[in-house]
Amino acid sequence: MTDAITTLTAANGETIKFRDRIIASGGMKDVYASPERDYVVAFYRKAPDVHAIERLDMITGPYRERIFEGEAGDYWKQLFCWPTTTVQHGGRIGVVAPFYHDHFFFKHGSFNNDMLKIRGKDKQGKWFASPHHQFKFLDARERGNWLGYLQLCLKLARALRRLHAAGLAHSDLSYKNVLLAPTSGRVCIIDVDGLVVPARFPPEVVGTPDFIAPEVVMSSCLPRDDPRRVLPSISTDSHALAVMIYSLLLLRHPLRGKKIHAKDPVEDERLAMGEKAVFIEHPADSSNRLSVNGARPTELPWVDPDSLPYTATGPYLKVLFDRAFIDGLHNPAMRPSADEWESALVRTVDLIQPCHNSACEQGWFVFDNATPPRCPFCGTHYTGQLPIINLYSKRGEKYRPDNHRLMVYSNLSLFPWHIDRTITPNERLPAAHRRRVGYFVQHQGRWFLVNEGMPELKNADTDAPCPVGARVELRANLKLLAGTRPGQRLLLLQMVEGGSD
């Protein structure tokens, strides 16, 4: 039987069509697909009040235009499933939004008991944030590798940074409102029709358990108009973002440990996620450490912070996790911003190394030269020489360290932002700055940098030029100068010997 098709005129004057069959239902809306499945129409089951309607008009109008019709608008369309207009039908109000791209639906696999198929379902974040979900339910072709998750977290932080820069907060950033495609590196934030505009449009929801900030949980029993009640905002988004990044990289929740606060499960949850929340890896408070007793083989090493500590994510993320879950857990002003997460993730990607074990499921790990290079996921040691490039830039008359380094592996690309401190790799990067300027290669045990696009590259000690097209052998204490213009960097080489601890 063919579904009936309803045709409407939307608030922006467009003709909207949808099939008269619900394809999905959320907490607040019923969703219908257009005949060509290129957009959906989501009708609210409960009629929004006048303030909610004004919010929808602003989200589909001025706020949408501000983000998508400005600089890098096409880039942001990849990271948000943003409603385009509103419609009314049968006494109900709805929003029109783009249909999810194909890469946000599972193409492979099913549950082991075959009771509920994974294939065809949308890739909500929950499937990728725990070892139980990943390794029991997902086909290996859907999981991706650890480098991919770093890059997903980077895009997620970038999207939230843009939202906050516009003065908006998501209010319900969680596994269910973020779609992930690890194998293709795609991220999409959904359900943005409830955005918070401080001092104008308050939140309609308090969030999703696991992601609600402690101050919101603590005051949730108070009336919404009580001045002591804390509602979702940019600072609570920052907590949710930190939880999401930690969970995607380490496959465990930062606050769900072994500590029991009350016999009543509801009260225990309120305390554990609110007033008494404690980071499971708090260096001075071990009361909420995870217990690995009874852990399934597929859950290891993920549920064992002693074997896989959060420091495995590298020095830049470790500092931000400390601020998010120690200093800022109960002090929102201390939480890292989305911009800070983005910057730390960019630098962390430059610390990545491929695992020498071809069977390693994660494939990559962070090496920061604090300990011998060893994959924390499978335990494989790196063997042989490993070049490290420390980046310096000129301040005054001297070159000073930029707290940024590059761990070299064969075929690693060197980009303009590596050799010029004034270039930032983000959505505003012009095409000329997206092209690599060199790459590294290992040949017969020797390491080389091949210069593809650095006309001023030279040996800083001898002034000998390294022309485009030439290759430079890497050795300890080699100093390469990218150029003399402001921001151009000095590259100082270290050579580390890999091996057993």
Side-chain angles (χ1 to χ4, degrees), residues 189-210:
I189 296 179
I190 63 176
D191 281 357
V192 298
D193 49 298
L195 293 176
V196 175
V197 184
R200 182 162 186 181
F201 299 122
E204 294 181 337
V205 295
V206 297
T208 299
D210 278 349

Side-chain angles (χ1 to χ4, degrees), residues 468-480:
V468 172
R471 67 180 188 177
V472 182
E473 184 169 3
L474 305 183
R475 52 180 173 76
N477 301 315
L478 173 67
K479 297 176 184 176
L480 296 174

Side-chain angles (χ1 to χ4, degrees), residues 91-301:
R92 295 200 296 172
I93 292 176
V95 291
V96 179
F99 202 86
Y100 305 153
H101 193 281
D102 286 349
H103 47 237
F104 290 123
F105 294 95
F106 287 109
K107 294 188 172 94
H108 310 284
S110 64
F111 282 99
N112 291 347
N113 61 16
D114 209 37
M115 290 177 63
L116 181 60
K117 298 288 185 181
I118 281 285
R119 191 179 299 114
K121 290 188 174 294
D122 54 329
K123 297 182 179 179
Q124 291 187 11
K126 69 176 183 179
W127 296 114
F128 306 100
S130 78
H132 181 66
H133 277 132
Q134 270 212 37
F135 303 117
K136 181 176 181 180
F137 298 140
L138 297 191
D139 188 284
R141 291 170 289 182
E142 302 282 13
R143 295 181 200 146
N145 58 44
W146 206 72
L147 173 57
Y149 286 95
L150 274 177
Q151 294 168 332
L152 292 177
C153 290
L154 170 57
K155 291 180 180 179
L156 181 60
R158 183 171 292 155
L160 206 63
R161 182 254 295 165
R162 181 64 187 93
L163 207 61
H164 292 171
L168 304 169
H170 189 282
S171 81
D172 192 16
L173 187 72
S174 68
Y175 300 141
K176 68 184 180 67
N177 289 329
V178 174
L179 301 178
L180 303 172
T183 56
S184 63
R186 306 295 183 98
V187 174
C188 187
I189 296 179
I190 63 176
D191 281 357
V192 298
D193 49 298
L195 293 176
V196 175
V197 184
R200 182 162 186 181
F201 299 122
E204 294 181 337
V205 295
V206 297
T208 299
D210 278 349
F211 295 90
I212 306 173
E215 64 273 18
V216 176
V217 175
M218 289 169 58
S219 64
S220 60
C221 58
L222 300 174
R224 289 180 69 90
D225 57 355
D226 190 310
R228 296 169 297 172
R229 175 80 181 265
V230 180
L231 296 173
S233 64
I234 288 175
S235 69
T236 65
D237 270 2
S238 298
H239 172 79
L241 175 63
V243 172
M244 182 77 76
I245 292 172
Y246 182 95
S247 300
L248 288 174
L249 295 180
L250 296 167
L251 303 192
R252 57 183 182 248
H253 193 280
L255 305 181
R256 292 201 177 278
K258 68 180 181 182
K259 191 169 186 178
I260 298 174
H261 302 273
K263 292 182 179 180
D264 177 64
V266 175
E267 178 65 6
D268 181 64
E269 174 75 5
R270 188 185 71 81
L271 292 172
M273 294 293 109
E275 179 184 353
K276 302 293 185 180
V278 177
F279 182 32
I280 62 171
E281 297 188 72
H282 196 298
D285 185 349
S286 61
S287 63
N288 200 32
R289 287 285 193 273
L290 280 171
S291 174
V292 297
N293 293 334
R296 305 178 184 93
T298 54
E299 293 178 318
L300 296 172

Side-chain angles (χ1 to χ4, degrees), residues 63-76 162:
Y63 295 131
R64 184 177 182 278
E65 293 168 6
R66 186 181 305 174
I67 292 177
F68 298 110
E69 295 183 13
E71 186 179 17
D74 287 341
Y75 181 87
W76 299 121
R162 181 64 187 93

Side-chain angles (χ1 to χ4, degrees), residues 39 79 85 87-88 104 106 110 127 136 165 190 202 236 336 351 371 435 486 495:
Y39 60 85
L79 298 184
T85 187
V87 292
Q88 295 189 38
F104 290 123
F106 287 109
S110 64
W127 296 114
K136 181 176 181 180
I190 63 176
T236 65
L351 297 180
T371 58
R435 292 192 291 270
M495 301 298 287

